[in-house]
Amino acid sequence: MQLASASPDWSDANLKKQIQAKSEFAWNVTLLTSEAENDPMATVFIPSLMQKLTHGETTVTVEGQSVREIIDNLEEMYPGTKERLVDKFKIKNGITVAVDGEISPIGILEKVDANSEIHFLPAVGGG
């Protein structure tokens, strides 16, 4: 029995195809990576009274470019969160929003960066 040995095709046309295929693959990987890096993914710290809605999660990563988008996307992920945070078109009375450690004076209109941290802080009562 004679074994056929397959010799590699070193022709210019075949090498050109292989280089082109590798270049297209690298471009696609770069494109996907670049698009993923541009998608804002903020970390949202969930108040203890809302953690039942997030199945016990204390932090979740959410896409959005403003607090409004973050809340809308939270609602898609965990139904009921928007009702707890928003009254009509503004953050509910008794809740404050902090983005990257700064209390937001403009609430849901506040811009969010790709690595932002968002806290929804319930009011603390007492005397």
Side-chain angles (χ1 to χ4, degrees):
M1 181 190 316
Q2 184 176 12
L3 295 175
S5 66
S7 61
D9 182 0
W10 295 106
S11 67
D12 286 342
N14 187 44
L15 288 175
K16 188 175 181 179
K17 283 181 193 177
Q18 288 181 7
I19 290 170
Q20 185 178 7
K22 287 181 182 179
S23 296
E24 286 176 9
F25 175 75
W27 183 81
N28 287 337
V29 170
T30 303
L31 179 63
L32 292 173
T33 302
S34 297
E35 287 175 355
E37 289 172 356
N38 291 333
D39 290 340
M41 295 294 284
T43 301
V44 179
F45 291 80
I46 307 298
S48 58
L49 294 174
M50 290 180 55
Q51 289 175 11
K52 188 173 183 178
L53 295 172
T54 61
H55 313 290
E57 296 292 329
T58 57
T59 60
V60 294
T61 304
V62 182
E63 187 175 344
Q65 295 180 356
S66 68
V67 172
R68 178 192 313 264
E69 288 180 12
I70 295 292
I71 292 171
D72 288 342
N73 290 334
L74 265 176
E75 178 65 21
E76 286 182 27
M77 296 166 62
Y78 306 104
T81 54
K82 188 172 184 174
E83 181 182 343
R84 297 267 188 107
L85 297 171
V86 178
D87 182 25
K88 298 183 183 173
F89 302 105
K90 62 182 185 115
I91 297 293
K92 281 188 170 183
N93 287 334
I95 297 177
T96 303
V97 179
V99 177
D100 296 326
E102 299 285 326
I103 300 296
S104 171
I106 57 175
I108 61 175
L109 300 176
E110 187 73 40
K111 295 291 181 198
V112 175
D113 290 327
N115 297 316
S116 288
E117 292 184 354
I118 300 170
H119 293 262
F120 295 102
L121 307 166
V124 178

